Amino acid sequence: MIQSLFALLSACVLHAQTPVGVSANQTTTTNPVPQARPGGLKPVAPTSLRLEFPVEKFQLANGLTVILHQDRSVPLISYHTWYRVGSRDEKPGITGAAHMLEHMMFKGAKKYSNKDFDRILQENGITNNAFTTWDYTGYYENLPSSKLELIMDVEVDRMRHLALKAEDLKSELEVVKEERRWRIDNNPPSLLREAMFNALFKPHPYNWPVIGTMDDIAAYTTDKLRPFYDTFYVPNNAVLVLAGDFDIPSTKKLIERHYGVLERRELPARSYAPAAEPKKAERFTVEAEVQNSTVIIGYKGVESGHPDSFALDLAAAVLGAGDSSRLYKKLVYRDQTATSAGGYNITNADPGAFMVLAAMKPGLKTAGAEKILREEVLRLQKELVTETELQKVKNQLMKDYIDGLTTIDGKAQALATNEILFGSFEKLFTDLEKYKAVTVKDIQRVAQKYLRTEREIVGILNPRARQKASVQ
């Protein structure tokens, strides 16, 4: 499953406190790999693409899900705390609340103040960051294994006792405004993608930006954020993943002691307005301070884990992954009209999106590139891709997949992603087999099903009107 990297919207810095509670409802899942080194990654059998590495999963009495992967190859731990809350849990007027709260999580709590937070982490050799997506929010640290109890104390503190002070929010609002200008308003591809999501997903919450609108960002108060924090930052809405150098029995006791005192709270029933099914082709145009035009064609896609998501990932790779892709070879190499061309398939907890795009050379219009983008999409529907072409993109995708699992941080991210989205980290181990099983007929079938002309939305980004005189 390819997760959207565009979702990684934020960059911050982090904290925690106390606990007890014995792991009632413990559901331990272990996948031993008898002949591998601790933490080693290997296929189950020489001819199989199913992967396994040792993992233990259990749940505290307060509902906190814990996943442990021991890898003692280096004295480091990757520590991830992810919450099942993202921008889809907001509403108009408070767009960007999940991301704003992510920033405030680095502004101190009851035990570790704003001033102490960064200093303590830096003094102890701990690096940290966070991100917010449409579906979840994640915090992570990479630390010397000797600092495990310290980071646990910091994380528990901010899970339950976040300060959320007005004076801290006042300064952080300016930081987030600037982040929006940098990531969206002054970033033409992001501006176009934001407009495409708005067109694709109404009335589903994916139609507004994860970072929020500028008006909503400017209007945030601690009174608006506090209910969001109290509702969703609870142990039964979180997944804790540790990967690295630690002793499992003693670590489980530490987790029970620190996190077990946190109170479980009832979560609200959550339902999201479904994105409307497209009935006819649409198009929109955006103007910005840019030197060249860009065209993008988007289609409403499928959710993470959907059986067709694997074929759509590979179809997108055939069209637009790298210099040897169909679109890049035609638009950049052959015609020399575009500076870049590509395609990607985004999957989320709810429906995702399939997109192809081309950025033109300055002064050129988008009509020719739009024609080629559409022709290549239609070609997928009419002609089977070759076995050689399909195997090439499978090789590329599988290598990227394995590369992502070669570090303890990469393994922790993959475990957290699958647990958050599917309630089962074990899906991580079966994805390669699903990609391997995709056939050339599957590529044609999903193209015919999802990439039909009447389902397309075309977006054009042009230089502002005063610059148009120079466009030929």
Side-chain angles (χ1 to χ4, degrees):
M1 173 205 56
I2 302 296
Q3 270 302 299
S4 163
L5 296 183
F6 302 115
L8 306 186
L9 268 186
S10 173
C12 304
V13 223
L14 59 165
H15 267 119
Q17 174 215 302
T18 28
V20 195
V22 182
S23 52
N25 304 321
Q26 183 164 325
T27 56
T28 301
T29 302
T30 307
N31 296 294
V33 185
Q35 297 177 346
R37 293 175 57 197
L41 177 68
K42 72 169 197 174
V44 171
T47 58
S48 171
L49 286 176
R50 183 181 172 85
L51 303 174
E52 282 192 4
F53 50 80
V55 180
E56 285 202 31
K57 172 182 171 181
F58 62 99
Q59 195 171 60
L60 299 187
N62 58 18
L64 177 70
T65 298
V66 182
I67 295 175
L68 304 177
H69 165 57
Q70 186 190 61
D71 179 346
R72 313 202 82 159
S73 56
V74 292
L76 295 172
I77 294 173
S78 190
Y79 194 104
H80 287 242
T81 311
W82 292 27
Y83 296 88
R84 295 182 183 89
V85 58
S87 63
R88 69 172 176 166
D89 297 298
E90 302 159 354
K91 59 185 179 181
I94 60 165
T95 64
H99 176 256
M100 192 71 244
L101 196 53
E102 176 218 309
H103 274 249
M104 294 305 293
M105 286 285 280
F106 295 89
K107 292 299 178 182
K110 182 178 180 180
K111 184 174 181 179
Y112 297 94
S113 71
N114 186 1
K115 293 181 180 178
D116 291 337
F117 193 87
D118 288 337
R119 177 184 60 78
I120 290 174
L121 266 60
Q122 289 172 11
E123 287 177 352
N124 286 279
I126 301 171
T127 59
N128 63 308
N129 215 320
F131 59 86
T132 305
T133 78
W134 296 282
D135 305 313
Y136 50 86
T137 306
Y139 303 84
Y140 58 95
E141 299 89 21
N142 291 308
L143 53 134
S145 48
S146 59
K147 305 301 179 183
L148 177 58
E149 188 162 11
L150 169 64
I151 204 63
M152 210 173 283
D153 201 40
V154 168
E155 282 292 2
V156 171
D157 188 32
R158 68 174 176 175
M159 183 183 283
R160 193 54 270 148
H161 299 293
L162 188 65
L164 261 182
K165 295 179 179 176
E167 57 266 35
D168 293 331
L169 178 62
K170 183 179 180 181
S171 62
E172 207 58 25
L173 285 176
E174 298 308 312
V175 173
V176 174
K177 287 180 189 175
E178 191 54 37
E179 183 180 344
R180 184 182 159 92
R181 295 185 191 101
W182 171 55
R183 290 187 182 277
I184 308 293
D185 299 339
N186 297 322
N187 185 323
S190 295
L191 200 61
L192 189 56
R193 190 166 48 247
E194 180 177 289
M196 177 58 77
F197 265 63
N198 181 262
L200 275 174
F201 293 115
K202 283 181 178 176
H204 188 282
Y206 288 165
N207 88 81
W208 57 72
V210 172
I211 199 169
T213 66
M214 191 62 92
D215 287 345
D216 286 351
I217 293 170
Y220 269 116
T221 64
T222 55
D223 288 342
K224 286 185 176 180
L225 293 177
R226 176 63 70 182
F228 206 78
Y229 171 76
D230 288 340
T231 300
F232 295 112
Y233 280 65
V234 292
N236 46 308
N237 197 41
V239 172
L240 174 65
V241 179
L242 277 68
D245 176 35
F246 54 82
D247 174 72
I248 289 182
S250 60
T251 298
K252 292 169 79 171
K253 290 179 182 177
L254 270 181
I255 292 169
E256 290 167 358
R257 179 153 54 86
H258 281 261
Y259 285 93
V261 296
L262 296 178
E263 179 186 357
R264 178 191 184 97
R265 294 187 184 181
E266 288 301 313
L267 291 163
R270 287 186 265 185
S271 63
Y272 309 99
E277 187 60 27
K279 296 180 179 176
K280 63 178 182 178
E282 298 178 19
R283 59 192 303 122
F284 65 85
T285 300
V286 177
E287 292 188 347
E289 298 292 340
V290 296
Q291 297 299 314
N292 62 312
S293 296
T294 301
V295 54
I296 186 169
I297 302 179
Y299 308 83
K300 182 184 171 188
V302 300
E303 68 274 15
S304 294
H306 189 287
D308 289 340
S309 64
F310 302 93
L312 284 167
D313 284 344
L314 292 167
V318 168
L319 291 175
D323 297 358
S324 63
S325 65
R326 291 182 177 187
L327 293 174
Y328 198 93
K329 285 196 291 188
K330 280 199 171 180
L331 289 163
V332 179
Y333 285 146
R334 188 193 70 181
D335 296 351
Q336 299 187 21
T337 55
T339 56
S340 65
Y344 47 87
N345 182 48
I346 298 174
T347 56
N348 299 312
D350 292 329
F354 187 101
M355 301 185 192
V356 290
L357 73 164
M360 309 308 296
K361 285 186 174 179
L364 297 184
K365 292 184 177 179
T366 57
E370 180 182 335
K371 180 173 181 288
I372 289 176
L373 294 179
R374 190 174 291 106
E375 286 175 351
E376 287 301 323
V377 169
L378 292 173
R379 185 179 161 200
L380 282 185
Q381 300 175 22
K382 295 176 180 176
E383 302 175 10
L384 294 176
V385 301
T386 66
E387 293 287 353
T388 302
E389 196 171 22
L390 178 57
Q391 189 58 54
K392 181 197 74 172
V393 294
K394 283 184 179 179
N395 293 342
Q396 292 172 336
L397 191 147
M398 290 178 182
K399 181 182 182 302
D400 289 345
Y401 195 99
I402 296 297
D403 284 348
L405 297 175
T406 55
T407 65
I408 55 173
D409 182 62
K411 289 178 184 175
Q413 284 189 46
L415 290 166
T417 300
N418 283 274
E419 186 65 29
I420 281 278
L421 285 175
F422 309 120
S424 171
F425 70 86
E426 291 172 308
K427 284 188 175 291
L428 158 69
F429 299 125
T430 61
D431 279 353
L432 289 184
E433 289 181 319
K434 292 173 181 173
Y435 284 118
K436 182 185 177 183
V438 172
T439 67
V440 294
K441 289 186 177 179
D442 288 330
I443 300 293
Q444 185 179 51
R445 178 181 56 77
V446 297
Q448 292 172 344
K449 182 175 181 180
Y450 298 102
L451 311 184
R452 301 193 308 275
T453 302
E454 66 269 24
R455 299 182 86 247
E456 73 177 29
I457 295 180
V458 178
I460 307 289
L461 172 66
N462 280 330
R464 286 201 188 284
R466 58 183 170 76
Q467 297 175 271
K468 282 184 175 176
S470 62
V471 176
Q472 300 171 1

